Amino acid sequence: MSLISLPRLRGTGAHRAASPAELRDENRRLHAIIAGSDKAFTRLRQERRAALDDADQLRTRAITAENKAADMQDELDALRAFKANVTAVSIPAGERDIDPGDEPTQPVPIIRVVPLRQSPLAT
């Protein structure tokens, strides 16, 4: 659909232009369309600016959250290291106190595996 709605040229062979009243009406209608589009364009620019501001705020919040998470991870690592140092066993196994109900673990004897040809049973 065309924005310009002037009637087709009329006449008996000579081209006839639209009347001044038709031109004024068409001019008013087109000015109303332009005014409406200007308002819509202004509104869209405001919405775009608001969306960009919101995006900037979200980006700032994300960076702040990442920094806070990194700080918390550093603190957690420090606490884990402290706990490991506090609960570390520093006394040799032979000198440690054993609770009365606990039995000390005994070393598992090492079994030597040899091929059957070298075994004393192979003879």
Side-chain angles (χ1 to χ4, degrees), residues 19 50 64 75 90 95 112 119:
S19 71
T64 303
E75 183 180 355
S90 60
E95 298 177 11
R112 189 170 161 241
S119 168

Side-chain angles (χ1 to χ4, degrees), residues 12-90:
T12 59
H15 294 288
R16 179 180 150 315
S19 71
E22 291 173 333
L23 290 174
R24 274 192 301 276
D25 291 343
E26 185 69 15
N27 198 16
R28 280 191 207 105
R29 190 180 72 78
L30 291 174
H31 279 292
I33 290 172
I34 290 171
S37 64
D38 285 345
K39 289 177 186 176
F41 186 69
T42 302
R43 190 178 67 249
L44 287 174
R45 288 181 70 181
Q46 291 170 349
E47 289 175 3
R48 178 181 177 267
R49 183 75 245 155
L52 290 175
D53 290 343
D54 290 345
D56 287 342
Q57 288 177 356
L58 290 174
R59 200 172 295 115
T60 303
R61 287 177 57 194
I63 290 170
T64 303
E66 287 174 356
N67 291 339
K68 187 175 181 180
D71 291 345
M72 292 173 77
Q73 184 64 45
D74 292 343
E75 183 180 355
L76 177 64
D77 292 342
L79 288 172
R80 285 182 176 167
F82 177 76
K83 179 183 175 188
N85 289 332
V86 168
T87 60
V89 177
S90 60

